[in-house]
Amino acid sequence: MSKSTLNIIEKDKGISINNPDFFLAFSDFLVSDGIDIVETVDIIKGDYDFESLAEKAEAFNDNEESYIATDIEQIDFNVKEYGDIELFTFICNDVEIEDFTDKLKVANSKKGFFDAEINISNVIYINKVLSPKTLLKIYKSVVVAKTEYFDSLSLPFHIKNILNNNDFLAILANVPPDSFNEENIFEDSVDIVNNEYDDDFDLEELINDIEDYIKIACEDALKKASLDFGILDYLVSQGILIGDLVDAGMALLVGVEENDEIREKLEKQILKSLSDINVIALIMAAIRTEEDFSGGRIREVDVSDDPAYLYTDEVLGLAISNQIAGTKATFNFKRYDEAKPGIIAELGPMVDDIFAGLIAGAMSKIFEE
């Protein structure tokens, strides 16, 4: 079967994917019946309700073509072809990676992380005459593949919470050539149930290929948007700000009156320590372990009451304090671990000792002279 020629029409207000031979489409678009036979697939820039979007799509097409339509805040997309598969990926992102120090970066958004969104959406055209049932199977497999991919990244919680809350997905295939013959018209609509569809192909192989392409598309989208995340982002995901750590350090200051100079030195030392790969490794080990423990993913472990026999957290805390300021800091760690000042008292059983060690090490380092 020769491949239908898709016309991609870009305007300021959106993009239209047109097929003069028509698509059979399965989608979650706002203007759609779920399963549709259409000539155009419209992605319109803006935020609309059903009626407003339908009006915008009709004006966008400038004719009475049959269509499905959805809205998007930003028009940023790319297209990749894999043989009979054409994959459109749309990126809508409110998050930027900003310099925090000369060695540390942090994710931020002008909208704030309550209103910000990161949406990676897809339209997939398959050059085959596929049945509605097959389109549904492919649709489900794509949703699962995207979910598995982003779960595998173990992103910071505040990033995961704004990811793909308003993404869209459409699976497009060809319409049987005789669909519009008189015998296939039923009550002014095409009889898609009794049409003849391609069955001379390996569906499992097709689905596996599409799943692989979707994961590649998601990875490329994150790279294109320059979205990667570092240690400060994982601190934010734990509800920890640098100022909180400075306050906790000052809480056990002994023999010296608190002043702005000491606070500034402590903040600089904490940030310096957070650029140390060994400190990062120990913090991430604690965060990942706590996620598994608190999520009940390890059958033999129950940390709901911070069991006394769990001392690995202290081992990690001691390791961090020693990494920053040597043996002297390990003695300082005991004070912070027992008192758990400020933000430390609010953290989980694995993470609290880690940050007690970070603060103890940083405090010891600024006074070692």
Side-chain angles (χ1 to χ4, degrees), residues 19 76-77 143 147-148 153 168 174 194 269 333:
N19 181 2
D76 186 7
F77 76 100
V143 171
T147 301
E148 289 178 347
L153 300 181
F168 57 80
N174 295 330
N194 296 310
Q269 182 56 53
F333 166 73

Side-chain angles (χ1 to χ4, degrees), residues 1-66:
M1 177 182 292
S2 61
K3 188 170 183 178
S4 296
T5 301
L6 304 187
N7 302 311
I8 302 173
I9 303 167
E10 295 183 64
K11 299 180 182 179
D12 291 340
K13 290 297 182 180
I15 172 176
S16 178
I17 305 169
N18 171 270
N19 181 2
D21 297 321
F22 289 85
F23 297 113
L24 179 64
F26 189 97
S27 75
D28 55 15
F29 279 23
L30 180 58
V31 179
S32 168
D33 292 325
I35 184 76
D36 301 90
I37 291 181
V38 295
E39 190 172 348
T40 64
V41 176
D42 296 324
I43 296 94
I44 308 297
K45 186 176 181 180
D47 183 14
Y48 305 101
D49 58 23
F50 178 91
E51 292 184 359
S52 299
L53 181 59
E55 291 176 1
K56 289 288 183 181
E58 289 178 4
F60 185 83
N61 293 323
D62 201 26
N63 57 37
E64 296 182 358
E65 293 174 331
S66 58

